[in-house]
Amino acid sequence: MNIILLGAPGAGKGTQAETLVKDFNLKHISTGDILREEVKKGSPVGLEAKEYMDKGLLVPDEVVIKLVAGAISGFGSRQGFLLDGFPRNENQAKMLEEKLCLVNRSINRVIYLKVSKEVVISRLSGRRICKDCGAVYHLKNIPPKKEGICDKCSGVLYQREDDSEKTVLNRLEVYKKETGGLINYYKDKNLLSEVDGDLAQEGTYALMLKEINNNCE
Ligand code: AMP
């Protein structure tokens, strides 16, 4: 089973992906995570990507599709995957189809997490991430047991640079302009399931499971 998680920044894609990949034994491909890893390494791709990421803009399509294609070709043809944060525009969606077609694969379902602007802003401004293991917390909704410290590995928690209020508003604009069109794109292909992403994690996850069970073999 191959799934795309679609939704605005802060829609909960990463959080839902964590559970979904465990329950369905999927490979998690988050372009945001891959890009942040490249930035951390200081690789040429990372250096190029950082300029866009810091402003909340999209990294060029060619750069991102190469990373995704590399990730998909890295595991067996029967291994299902979950795309999180990719595609982000129609061009990427088409490039993805071409790459998948070459290896006789396709997308089974696109889950669109629909969220309100207020929820997105509250989620992103309170989001904190572990520097070491990448675990995600929220100051109010999922606070760590000890302030500023990861429950899982005792790493230090930090706020992503692009979660600052100004960049968040920019990311939302970019999402509306570039990614919003994908909702109709996948609706027209009869692949889209719209799910309420404003609910608490378990509530949204239950709706996602229902959609997957009803629409995927
Ligand atoms: P995310 O973690 O998905 O919110 O992504 C963080 C940032 O990485 C975005 O604001 C973009 O700058 C970049 N990025 C992630 N995925 C993509 C993508 N599919 N296309 C272009 N840029 C991306």
Side-chain angles (χ1 to χ4, degrees):
M1 185 172 76
N2 306 319
I3 303 257
I4 291 175
L5 269 189
L6 193 63
K13 299 188 296 296
T15 309
Q16 300 295 354
E18 244 181 71
T19 318
L20 207 58
V21 294
K22 272 191 214 137
D23 286 355
F24 289 90
N25 182 30
L26 304 173
K27 290 279 184 194
H28 183 193
I29 304 174
S30 155
T31 41
D33 285 351
I34 298 175
L35 288 165
R36 278 184 288 280
E37 199 47 46
E38 293 297 322
V39 171
K40 210 162 140 189
K41 283 194 289 196
S43 70
V45 166
L47 290 178
E48 183 185 353
K50 190 174 184 321
E51 304 224 349
Y52 296 91
M53 294 169 81
D54 284 350
K55 296 185 192 128
L57 299 173
L58 293 189
V59 173
D61 294 345
E62 298 69 29
V63 173
V64 184
I65 185 73
K66 223 184 258 174
L67 295 173
V68 171
I72 291 175
S73 67
F75 43 78
S77 59
R78 294 174 68 177
Q79 171 68 59
F81 57 83
L82 175 79
L83 287 169
D84 157 8
F86 181 92
R88 284 280 232 275
N89 58 32
E90 207 171 305
N91 187 39
Q92 291 184 8
K94 288 187 171 146
M95 284 165 129
L96 173 68
E97 274 153 36
E98 281 169 26
K99 296 280 178 200
L100 290 179
C101 187
L102 289 176
V103 289
N104 260 329
R105 310 195 71 175
S106 59
I107 295 298
N108 302 97
R109 203 73 197 154
V110 179
I111 311 272
Y112 164 45
L113 298 176
K114 189 174 182 202
V115 274
S116 61
K117 194 170 171 185
E118 300 73 50
V119 167
V120 162
I121 291 175
S122 143
R123 278 188 191 157
L124 293 183
S125 57
R127 179 159 73 176
R128 295 295 181 272
I129 296 167
C130 173
K131 257 195 173 121
D132 295 335
C133 74
V136 180
Y137 296 85
H138 186 277
L139 295 180
K140 240 188 355 219
N141 308 340
I142 325 168
K145 289 194 187 100
K146 197 170 160 203
E147 197 187 323
I149 301 294
C150 177
D151 294 346
K152 294 179 186 158
C153 75
S154 302
V156 173
L157 304 185
Y158 76 104
Q159 182 176 33
R160 263 171 55 173
E161 228 167 276
D162 60 353
D163 278 349
S164 69
E165 200 176 327
K166 180 168 169 272
T167 314
V168 163
L169 292 177
N170 204 18
R171 285 164 68 201
L172 286 176
E173 272 309 304
V174 169
Y175 170 78
K176 214 161 97 188
K177 210 169 107 209
E178 305 249 4
T179 315
L182 284 180
I183 296 162
N184 279 336
Y185 180 84
Y186 285 119
K187 211 183 254 177
D188 289 347
K189 289 179 183 287
N190 278 327
L191 283 175
L192 196 86
S193 286
E194 183 177 307
V195 162
D196 184 351
D198 276 351
L199 308 177
Q201 196 237 328
E202 302 78 18
T204 295
Y205 191 69
L207 296 176
M208 286 170 57
L209 280 187
K210 210 164 136 191
E211 288 298 325
I212 291 173
N213 289 332
N214 287 344
N215 294 292
C216 301
E217 283 162 11

